[in-house]
Amino acid sequence: MPRFELVRGETLSCAAGTTFYFRMRPIINCKQTHELVSQSMDKDLSLLDRMRVRLHLGICTSCSNFNGQMLLLREAMRKFPMSELDDKPHDHSDERK
């Protein structure tokens, strides 16, 4: 059974007179979630994309783990002293032999 999310679209009025705007669209898959999680590290996502990611992370343990690993990696890179990279050039040519 496909999963669905609500997005702005068509109009529906309920008996109480409240108007809802919605359109049914399948929730994003794991590949799309990984792409959006990666993009979110570099730029702000739209509200709709943030909601899609949150919905997917709420039902997918694997993607939740991926998101946690990306956040951990980002934090580790922020704490890494960049001056160490400049002070110690490393030649990788001998590692391929």
Side-chain angles (χ1 to χ4, degrees):
M1 175 178 234
R3 298 182 183 103
F4 293 94
E5 64 176 313
L6 296 177
V7 295
R8 189 172 174 91
E10 300 171 10
T11 304
L12 173 70
S13 296
C14 71
T18 305
T19 302
F20 298 95
Y21 300 96
F22 76 98
R23 182 176 66 223
M24 299 303 278
R25 180 182 296 168
I27 291 177
I28 57 177
N29 62 31
C30 293
K31 184 176 180 179
Q32 293 166 322
T33 301
H34 286 198
E35 181 66 29
L36 288 172
V37 166
S38 296
Q39 286 178 15
S40 73
M41 298 294 154
D42 298 325
K43 65 176 186 171
D44 290 335
L45 297 178
S46 68
L47 176 61
L48 182 59
D49 284 340
R50 287 194 313 266
M51 289 174 55
R52 287 178 177 154
V53 169
R54 284 189 139 194
L55 282 170
H56 187 90
L57 294 178
I59 61 172
C60 182
T61 306
S62 297
C63 288
S64 293
N65 290 339
F66 174 78
N67 185 53
Q69 291 167 351
M70 291 294 288
L71 294 172
L72 182 66
L73 182 60
R74 183 178 190 181
E75 188 63 30
M77 290 303 294
R78 283 185 175 163
K79 292 180 180 179
F80 188 79
M82 296 305 285
S83 60
E84 286 187 26
L85 292 177
D86 297 332
D87 295 341
K88 300 176 183 176
H90 184 74
D91 182 16
H92 294 281
S93 61
D94 60 340
E95 292 178 4
R96 295 182 186 230
K97 293 179 182 177

